Every structure is written in C-alpha cells, then in structure tokens.
C-alpha cells in the first residue's frame, strides 16, 4: 500500500496529494458522525419501547429530551458535514483532474524536439484528453470513496460488535470472504479490460487525427470507408471493455441481494419463535442491526466497486509512470551569446535516435552579419536537419554551433531562439485572422504587421481578412501560396539577427518569389539569412552556398 501511495504522490505531486489528504480526512470525520447517528438508534428504540432510557456511560445518564436533542443534533451536523465533504471532494477532483491534464500538456510541450520523433501525436492527445481524466475517475475518486466507506463500515462494525460481538463477527466473515473470492476471480479481467480501454482510446485518437489532418488525401484516395471502419472497430473495443468492466463491478450486488434475502428470512423465523416479552427485549438490537444494514449493505457493494475501479486504474498508473520516466525537462535558463558578428558551424554530424545512418557528416561553414547563405542538396541530404540544429531544436551528435566563438547548447536554446526567426517548409496557420497569424498574438502593432505583410507580398490578403475572417483550421481557406506568404510575413514581423527560411518559395510563382526574396534581402540587409532551397537561381543570389549532396543516402 505504501508503494501504491508513493506512486500516486510521484504522479500528481506533493501539493496535489496534500489536497487529497485533506478531503479524505474530512470524509472520514463525516463517516464518524454518521456512525454516531446510527449508534443513537439503540437507546432511541429503547425509549420508544419501554418509555425510559437505560443507556448510561459510566456516571452519565441521559434524559429522553437530552437524547432526542442529541440525536437530532448529531444527525443534522453529520448531514451538513457530509454535504461539505461531497462538495470539497468534487471540487478537488475536478480541479486536480483538469490540472493533471494541463501539467501533462505542459510537460509534453517542453520535451526536446527529438522526443516527438518517436511519440505519436494521437497517443499524446489520448493521454491528455482521456487517460488523465480516467486516472482521476478510476484512481483518485475511488480511493477517496473507498477510504470514506471503509471508515464508516469500521466504526459501524465496532458499534455492532459492542452490542452483538458473535453475530457481528459471523456476518463480517461471510461478507468479507464472499467479496474476497469475487475480487480474486475478477481482478485479472478488470486489469485486462482497463488495458483494452487505454488501447482503444489511443486508436480512436490516431485514426481520427490522421483522417482529419489528411482529409483531402483521404477523399481523393477513397479511404473514407477504411478509416470509418477502423474508427468503428476501435469504438466497439472501447464499448465492450467498458461494459464488461461495469458488469464486473456490479456482479457482487447480486450476491449481496441474495444474502440479504436469506438473512431476512432467518430473522423473520427467529422473531416468530419468540414470545412478546422476548420480542420487546430484542427489538432495539434488531432495529440497530437494521439501521446499520441500511448503511452497511450498500457500502459493502460500493467498497467493492471502488476497489475494483482502483484495480482497473493500475494500468493507468503504470502508463503514466512510464511516461514520466521518459520525460526530460532540461534547464534552459542559460542566456545564449548575442549574435553580433559571426555564426559558425563546426564539424556537425547527426544521426536520428534509433537509426544508424548519419544524416549529416562533418558539416562546416561560417557566416557574418549581412551574409546570405543558401543550403542546397537533394532530398534526404539533411538540409532541414541542419537548420534544426542551427535553430537549437535538436543538438548535434558531434561538432558544435558557435555564436561569436561561444557554443550553443540545449541549456541556452530557448534564449537563442529569441534571436532568430524561422519559416518552415510546411507552414501551419492557426484558426485566426491573417494579422494574428503574422504577429502570433492578439496584442499586435498593426503598422508592423502591415510592414511584414508588404515584404511577403501578402498585404492584399491582409486587407481582405483584417480583423474579420479567420483563415480556417491550418489555413484551409487559403491557397498553398497564400499560406506560404503569411508564414514568410510571420518570420519578418520581428527584426532579428538571424532568419532561417526553409523552402520559402516552394509554393510561389517565379515572379512573386523573386519579388519577396528581393524585399527580404533589402529590408534585412544587416542580418544573416539562411535559405534552404532547391532553386539554383535563388542559391546563386546568395553570398555563400552550402552543398549537402555528399550527405544524401
């Protein structure tokens, strides 16, 4: 149990665990007051049956008025305390559930760029949007309820043991053994169905993400039915696993109902065999057991259901534990050297994780402020990899990048990226206006936005969409050339010392491309501009040409 608690604390954090401990303690106190209200039934029935109160604790005697007032006070206070406990527990569960998702999302975003090479986006989304909430629903919530219910059952059991020890021990033994046997039988199935649910969630996210992201290709290739069938199959797996897990948690209820029925029959025949005086004597005890039964029998089932949910949640704990062990959040607070004169690449070599073939081998060049650098070479030569290294997204396996003779590293990569602007080969726009996509903020300077748009020859589009229409998801409302030009304008929005443009004219006609490149070279003549291109004419306009032909495989 201690290992289980330690694993939970490591997953949710010390502060979150303290919040849960507080609401768990509150629910235990509420359970204690519920027990007191049940225990008070015994003297109350004696009062009704005999017209007097015989209950005494040492030297303390209770009058009927005091007893009734005390029972009402305990009962009302217990109800209020339970209401407060339910509210606090619900609030903590919601806050921690969504907070856990938010922390996971932040951790995913902060992972090194290379980490995402081996992790599918759909699996990440499934973990954040489904598994994180299931972790709260099937681990933290059942744990709190199980603690509260166990506390109530324990205290009520003590009261019953005080009145009828042998009968209480007999009933507890029968019920306990029954639940233990059922749980031992079902625990393997509970874990298996939980693992199937996790897998089905991931599959649904994967198929939906791939189909929606490549909607055009899916339609033109006639793949709608294939993706629909795959998504439906994963949904059926999810439904089957969920229904089976619900069935397993409900099965003990049938056993419990049968047990209660038999117990009622035995009690009926026992009472019918007694005379009137004996019935009057045993009535308070039977009433106490009946009142306790109203709490204990449902609690027994709920305890099993919550314990079963905890068992189902073990695969989630295993999954998140494995994820946390993969996370590497490096300290990136170091300040990078300021680019004032020269950028130098020295003997850079790189191999992607899990691969053996080098993408880059001993690549070297240098550029000074005002230089235009063209990186050319066939597909697969490592052009995009080289600019990823220069921009600090990935670290070289050998060699280094120097800024004014000072090396860049993972520790100062965030600071370094503040000094550069990057235009990717495949731009992604957000579902916002053109101006917001250029500035990447709602609080933009319209004059600076217009200046950047003018450099990228997208000012006409800016006027059309300014503060009105969004460009659609990933820019679907625009042509490829328009998306490309907005991405170039985004890179030109800030005046920096280094611009990295990956195939910036790939989707543009020759006339527009020449005009944009001319604008950039003129407006940013004091910066280093690195351009990855297959356009040899564009490469010839640059001061330095880096040919990576020898790196192609």
């Amino acid at each position: 149990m201690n290992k289980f608690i330690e694993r939970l604390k490591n997953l949710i954090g010390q502060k979150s665990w303290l919040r849960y401990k507080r609401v768990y303690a509150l629910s235990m106190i509420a359970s204690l007051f519920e027990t007191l209200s049940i225990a008070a039934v015994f003297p109350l029935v004696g009062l009704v049956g005999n017209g007097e109160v015989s209950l005494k604790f040492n030297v303390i005697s209770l009058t009927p008025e005091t007893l009734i007032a005390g029972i009402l006070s305990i009962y009302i206070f217990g109800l209020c305390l339970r209401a407060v406990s339910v509210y606090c527990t619900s609030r903590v569960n919601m806050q921690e559930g969504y907070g856990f998702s938010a922390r996971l999302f932040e951790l995913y975003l902060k992972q090194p760029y290379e980490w995402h090479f081996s992790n599918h986006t759909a699996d990440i989304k499934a973990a954040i949007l489904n598994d994180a909430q299931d972790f709260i629903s099937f681990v933290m919530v059942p744990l709190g309820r199980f603690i509260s219910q166990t506390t109530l059952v324990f205290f009520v059991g003590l009261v019953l043991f005080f009145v009828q020890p042998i009968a209480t021990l007999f009933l507890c033994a029968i019920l306990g053994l029954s639940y233990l046997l059922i749980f031992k039988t079902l625990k393997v199935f509970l874990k298996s169905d939980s693992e199937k649910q996790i897998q089905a969630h991931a599959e649904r996210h994967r198929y939906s993400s791939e189909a929606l992201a490549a909607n055009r290709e899916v339609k033109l290739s006639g793949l709608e039915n294939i993706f629909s069938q795959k998504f439906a199959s994963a949904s059926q797996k999810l439904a089957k696993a969920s229904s089976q897990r619900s069935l397993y948690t409900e099965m003990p209820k049938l056993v419990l109902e049968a047990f209660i029925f038999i117990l009622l029959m035995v009690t009926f025949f026992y009472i019918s065999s007694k005379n009137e005086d004996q019935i009057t004597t045993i009535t308070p005890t039977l009433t106490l057991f009946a009142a306790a039964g109203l709490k204990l029998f449902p609690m027994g089932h709920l305890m099993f259901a919550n314990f079963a949910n905890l068992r189902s949640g073990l695969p989630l704990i295993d999954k998140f534990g494995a994820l946390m062990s993969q996370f590497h959040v490096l300290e990136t607070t170091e300040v990078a050297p300021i680019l004032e004169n020269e950028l130098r690449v020295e003997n850079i070599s790189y191999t992607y994780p899990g691969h053996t073939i080098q993408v880059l081998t001993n690549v070297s060049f240098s550029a000074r402020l005002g230089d235009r650098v063209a990186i050319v070479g066939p597909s697969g030569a490592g052009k995009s990899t080289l600019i990823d290294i220069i921009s600090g997204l990935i670290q070289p396996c050998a060699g280094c990048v120097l800024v004014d003779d000072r090396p860049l590293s993972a520790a100062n990569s965030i600071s370094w990226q503040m000094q550069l602007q990057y235009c990717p080969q495949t731009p992604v726009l957000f579902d916002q206006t053109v101006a917001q996509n250029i500035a990447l903020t709602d609080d933009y300077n319209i004059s600076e936005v217009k200046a950047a748009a003018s450099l990228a020859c997208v000012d006409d589009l800016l006027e059309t969409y300014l503060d009105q229409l969004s460009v659609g998801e990933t820019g679907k409302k625009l042509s490829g050339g328009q998306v490309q030009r907005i991405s170039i304008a985004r890179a030109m929005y800030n005046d920096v010392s280094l611009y990295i443009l990956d195939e910036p004219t790939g989707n543009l006609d020759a006339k527009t491309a020449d005009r944009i490149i001319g604008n950039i070279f003129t407006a940013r003549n004091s910066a280093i501009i690195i351009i990855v291109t297959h356009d040899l004419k564009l490469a010839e306009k640059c001061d330095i040409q880096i040919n990576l032909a020898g790196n192609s495989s």
Side-chain angles (χ1 to χ4, degrees):
M1 187 65 179
N2 288 334
K3 289 183 178 179
F4 177 78
I5 296 300
E6 284 300 318
R7 292 174 70 187
L8 289 184
K9 287 167 65 176
N10 290 335
L11 286 180
I12 66 176
Q14 188 66 34
K15 289 184 178 180
S16 295
W17 177 246
L18 287 175
R19 294 190 191 100
Y20 274 111
K21 283 177 65 175
R22 292 190 191 104
V23 296
Y24 292 165
L26 182 60
S27 66
M28 292 174 67
I29 296 172
S31 298
L32 176 60
F33 274 89
E34 286 190 63
T35 304
L36 291 176
S37 65
I38 293 173
V41 169
F42 189 75
L44 181 61
V45 174
L47 172 64
V48 174
N50 301 321
E52 60 182 12
V53 181
S54 59
L55 181 64
K56 293 184 179 181
F57 298 98
N58 295 329
V59 297
I60 300 176
S61 299
L62 300 176
T63 63
E65 293 79 7
T66 303
L67 176 63
I68 294 174
I71 292 174
L72 286 175
S73 299
I74 292 172
Y75 182 72
I76 293 172
F77 183 76
L79 284 179
C80 294
L81 195 59
R82 176 59 66 183
V84 172
S85 173
V86 170
Y87 168 75
C88 292
T89 302
S90 176
R91 183 179 178 183
V92 168
N93 285 330
M94 290 299 102
Q95 289 178 337
E96 292 300 326
Y98 291 112
F100 185 58
S101 295
R103 287 194 297 274
L104 273 178
F105 183 64
E106 182 181 9
L107 282 171
Y108 277 127
L109 290 180
K110 288 185 176 180
Q111 292 313 294
Y113 188 64
E114 288 175 317
W115 184 87
H116 294 271
F117 295 160
S118 56
N119 289 273
H120 200 289
T121 303
D123 295 338
I124 296 173
K125 289 170 63 178
I128 295 171
L129 301 177
N130 290 107
D131 296 339
Q133 286 302 120
D134 284 348
F135 170 74
I136 299 299
S137 300
F138 294 112
V139 177
M140 302 311 298
V141 172
L143 178 61
R145 290 174 178 171
F146 184 77
I147 291 173
S148 173
Q149 292 153 3
T150 303
T151 304
L152 178 61
V153 169
F154 175 76
F155 285 129
V156 172
L158 283 180
V159 172
L160 297 181
F161 182 81
F162 176 75
V163 177
Q164 285 288 341
I166 296 177
T168 301
L169 289 175
F170 175 75
L171 291 174
C172 289
I174 294 296
L175 286 173
L177 289 173
S178 298
Y179 278 120
L180 181 61
L181 179 62
I182 294 171
F183 179 75
K184 286 287 186 182
T185 304
L186 297 179
K187 68 176 185 179
V188 176
F189 300 103
L190 288 167
K191 184 178 180 181
S192 174
D193 286 328
S194 179
E195 291 172 344
K196 290 176 181 176
Q197 275 189 287
I198 294 172
Q199 182 182 1
H201 274 310
E203 289 177 358
R204 279 159 50 91
H205 275 281
R206 180 169 297 193
Y207 297 142
S208 60
S209 296
E210 291 176 349
L212 294 174
N215 183 257
R216 179 182 297 167
E217 290 82 353
V218 168
K219 286 184 174 297
L220 293 176
S221 302
L223 299 176
E224 294 101 323
N225 290 336
I226 293 177
F227 274 101
S228 296
Q229 289 168 4
K230 287 182 178 181
F231 188 85
S233 176
S235 299
Q236 288 173 357
K237 290 180 186 177
L238 179 61
K240 183 178 179 181
S242 301
S243 61
Q244 286 182 171
R245 189 165 71 173
S246 298
L247 174 64
Y248 297 148
T249 56
E250 291 296 322
M251 281 181 62
K253 189 176 181 181
L254 303 176
V255 178
L256 185 64
E257 289 176 351
F259 180 79
I260 293 174
F261 180 77
I262 294 172
L263 185 63
L264 287 174
M265 292 298 98
V266 171
T267 304
F268 174 76
F269 284 113
Y270 174 75
I271 293 176
S272 64
S273 65
K274 302 295 181 181
N275 58 41
E276 186 175 342
D277 291 337
Q278 290 175 321
I279 292 175
T280 301
T281 303
I282 65 173
T283 295
T285 302
L286 292 176
T287 304
L288 175 63
F289 271 78
L294 291 174
K295 285 286 185 183
L296 289 181
F297 288 129
M299 283 296 169
H301 169 64
L302 291 174
M303 282 176 63
F304 176 85
N306 285 310
F307 195 74
N309 282 330
L310 283 172
R311 178 68 184 182
S312 299
L314 288 180
L316 288 169
I317 297 176
D318 294 337
K319 175 177 180 176
F320 286 120
L323 277 175
M324 294 297 184
S325 66
Q326 294 178 22
F327 288 157
H328 302 286
V329 181
L330 299 174
E331 289 293 331
T332 56
T333 56
E334 290 186 15
V335 178
I338 305 298
L339 178 56
E340 295 179 336
N341 293 295
E342 184 184 49
L343 174 73
R344 192 161 76 250
V345 172
E346 283 194 350
N347 299 317
I348 290 293
S349 295
Y350 185 79
T351 302
Y352 280 99
H355 293 255
T356 57
I357 300 175
Q358 280 192 334
V359 180
L360 296 171
T361 305
N362 297 326
V363 176
S364 299
F365 72 89
S366 64
R368 301 184 68 83
L369 290 179
D371 286 341
R372 286 81 175 93
V373 181
I375 300 177
V376 298
S379 298
K383 300 185 296 297
S384 294
T385 302
L386 179 57
I387 61 175
D388 284 345
I389 292 174
I390 294 172
S391 62
L393 286 174
I394 58 179
Q395 299 302 308
C397 299
C400 61
V401 179
L402 300 167
V403 175
D404 291 342
D405 296 323
R406 294 175 60 190
L408 297 178
S409 65
N412 60 29
S413 59
I414 299 297
S415 175
W416 168 241
Q417 287 158 7
M418 297 299 101
Q419 299 185 52
L420 62 87
Q421 286 293 303
Y422 174 65
C423 175
Q425 182 177 0
T426 307
V428 175
L429 301 187
F430 304 108
D431 193 9
Q432 297 175 319
T433 65
V434 172
Q436 289 169 326
N437 269 285
I438 291 174
L440 294 180
T441 177
D442 295 334
D443 185 22
Y444 54 81
N445 184 310
I446 188 59
S447 298
E448 294 176 359
V449 168
K450 288 182 177 180
S454 178
L455 289 178
C457 298
V458 75
D459 38 351
D460 57 335
L461 193 63
L462 176 64
E463 293 298 330
T464 302
Y465 281 81
L466 184 62
D467 295 329
Q468 298 178 32
L469 303 175
S470 71
V471 300
E473 182 185 4
T474 67
K476 285 182 178 178
K477 295 180 181 179
L478 306 178
S479 69
Q482 289 172 324
V483 171
Q484 187 78 65
R485 285 184 285 154
I486 291 174
S487 180
I488 295 172
R490 178 188 290 172
M492 295 298 114
Y493 180 70
N494 292 307
D495 193 358
V496 294
S497 299
L498 174 63
Y499 294 89
I500 300 176
L501 312 177
D502 191 357
E503 294 287 355
T505 60
N507 292 319
L508 304 178
D509 62 85
K511 183 178 179 181
T512 303
D514 287 342
R515 183 181 169 193
I516 291 174
I517 294 300
N519 291 343
I520 293 173
F521 282 0
T522 301
R524 301 293 185 259
N525 59 6
S526 61
I528 295 175
I529 301 175
I530 298 176
I531 301 176
V532 172
T533 183
H534 286 101
D535 186 348
L536 297 181
K537 290 183 178 180
L538 174 56
E540 290 172 357
K541 295 178 181 179
C542 296
D543 307 304
I544 303 169
Q545 291 86 36
I546 309 300
N547 195 331
L548 298 181
N551 284 280
S552 60
S553 57

